[in-house]
């Protein structure tokens, strides 16, 4: 079994889900008392969040690159960055390490293709929804059209992520707002919706809506186990 490197803490709430889901999948695949071989480096999200909102992506990339090098030094075979938004700085991190990064958008794109999705909605932070680093990767690598909510809805989604979900706060009214936004995406013709922030799965579950949801945390974790169990 390969050793999985997890670069987490963005937020720690979703990093907990990564660790749990990876080990649950290992148990399904191997049974008995098996658990995953994992190296975890957790950063201080307060520091990263301030750099995000001040658009100091270079400094954020520097911090994550140092963390990634530390993960590599303790013999991880590959790396997962446990957040969608910070995949914006993957090209910089890749230049600083030799182990491969298992990209969350690639893992998600594969599952979308397996489900014959041609047009998909995307929920996430404002950075993920408005910038091109995530949407273009799915469009270019998997030929899937990515639709995002309108500006007002983007602001609602972003605020709930940072002011509630990243703090472990789950509100019924916030769920209702998310579900209304999902319904509006369905009216635009999407065949499914990407939960493109690793905390959103804490709020929205498949049983809450008829449209197919693609939880990136679960998808990324399962892909990590596949990679870990490769010969």
């Amino acid at each position: 079994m390969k050793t999985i490197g997890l670069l987490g803490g963005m937020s720690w709430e979703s990093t907990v889900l990564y660790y749990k889901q990876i080990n649950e999948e290992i148990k399904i695949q191997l049974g008995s008392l098996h658990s995953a071989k994992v190296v975890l480096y957790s950063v201080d999200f307060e520091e990263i969040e301030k750099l995000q909102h001040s658009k100091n992506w270079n400094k954020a990339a520097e911090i994550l690159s140092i963390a990634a090098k530390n993960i590599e030094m303790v013999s991880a075979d590959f790396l997962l960055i446990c957040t969608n938004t910070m995949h914006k700085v993957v090209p910089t991190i890749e230049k600083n390490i030799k182990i491969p990064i298992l990209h969350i958008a690639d893992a998600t794109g594969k599952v979308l293709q397996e489900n014959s999705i041609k047009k998909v909605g995307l929920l996430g932070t404002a950075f993920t929804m408005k910038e091109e680093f995530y949407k273009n990767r799915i469009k270019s690598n998997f030929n899937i059209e990515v639709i995002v909510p309108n500006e007002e809805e983007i602001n609602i989604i972003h605020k709930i992520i940072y002011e509630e979900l990243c703090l472990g706060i789950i509100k019924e009214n916030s769920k209702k707002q998310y579900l209304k936004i999902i319904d509006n995406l369905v009216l635009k013709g999407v065949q499914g919706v990407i939960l493109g922030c690793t905390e959103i799965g804490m709020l929205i579950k498949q049983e809450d809506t008829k449209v197919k949801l693609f939880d990136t945390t679960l998808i990324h974790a399962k892909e990590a186990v596949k990679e870990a169990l490769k010969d």
Side-chain angles (χ1 to χ4, degrees):
M1 187 192 306
K2 296 177 185 175
T3 299
I4 302 169
L6 297 180
L7 177 42
M10 302 168 283
S11 67
W12 71 262
E13 296 280 353
S14 62
T15 304
V16 170
L17 297 177
Y18 265 92
Y19 186 75
K20 183 174 185 287
Q21 289 170 350
I22 285 170
N23 279 291
E24 286 180 346
E25 187 66 18
I26 285 286
K27 184 177 180 180
I28 289 169
Q29 297 299 325
L30 300 180
S32 190
L33 295 176
H34 286 288
S35 56
K37 294 180 179 179
V38 174
V39 173
L40 169 62
Y41 190 113
S42 187
V43 298
D44 179 3
F45 189 41
E46 175 79 9
E47 185 177 13
I48 299 299
E49 183 271 335
K50 286 179 178 176
L51 294 171
Q52 289 175 339
H53 286 93
S54 65
K55 296 182 170 53
N56 193 347
W57 297 102
N58 288 337
K59 181 62 177 178
E62 179 186 331
I63 292 169
L64 296 193
S65 293
I66 292 169
K69 283 192 281 188
N70 276 285
I71 291 171
E72 181 179 46
M73 285 171 60
V74 288
S75 302
D77 293 296
F78 61 97
L79 177 66
L80 272 71
I81 302 170
C82 304
T83 165
N84 286 271
T85 298
M86 295 313 296
H87 278 72
K88 176 179 171 67
V89 299
V90 159
T92 301
I93 298 172
E94 286 177 327
K95 292 176 183 176
N96 287 283
I97 59 174
K98 296 183 176 65
I99 59 173
I101 296 175
L102 198 64
H103 202 290
I104 197 167
D106 292 343
T108 302
K110 288 178 188 177
V111 174
L112 293 172
Q113 277 193 337
E114 289 167 3
N115 283 268
S116 301
I117 301 294
K118 296 296 183 183
K119 186 175 183 179
V120 70
L122 173 63
L123 305 183
T125 66
F127 311 114
T128 301
M129 290 186 286
K130 295 171 78 170
E131 299 187 33
E132 299 300 323
F133 68 93
Y134 193 94
K135 295 182 290 186
N136 274 357
R137 190 156 183 135
I138 291 178
K139 290 176 187 176
S140 300
N141 292 354
F142 302 96
N143 194 30
I144 296 169
E145 184 181 0
V146 181
I147 305 296
V148 298
N150 63 39
E151 187 73 23
E152 180 183 354
E153 292 170 332
I154 286 173
N155 291 335
I156 290 169
I157 294 165
H158 186 87
K159 184 176 180 179
I160 289 170
I161 289 170
Y162 281 92
E163 295 183 9
E164 298 174 22
L165 301 183
C166 286
L167 299 172
I169 299 168
I170 308 299
K171 293 184 178 180
E172 187 62 30
N173 185 56
S174 296
K175 175 184 279 195
K176 289 177 181 177
Q177 290 183 80
Y178 268 50
L179 290 174
K180 183 179 179 182
I181 292 168
I182 288 172
D183 287 343
N184 290 339
L185 287 171
V186 171
L187 292 176
K188 294 179 181 179
V190 304
Q191 300 164 288
V193 174
I194 300 169
L195 304 185
C197 173
T198 50
E199 285 83 17
I200 295 178
M202 296 161 55
L203 182 67
I204 301 294
K205 309 294 182 185
Q206 185 60 69
E207 56 264 29
D208 295 321
T209 179
K210 292 181 180 178
V211 69
K212 179 70 174 174
L213 300 180
F214 297 90
D215 185 339
T216 53
T217 304
L218 179 58
I219 291 168
H220 208 195
K222 286 188 174 182
E223 189 68 15
V225 171
K226 285 182 186 177
E227 182 62 30
L229 297 180
K230 281 183 182 177
D231 293 333

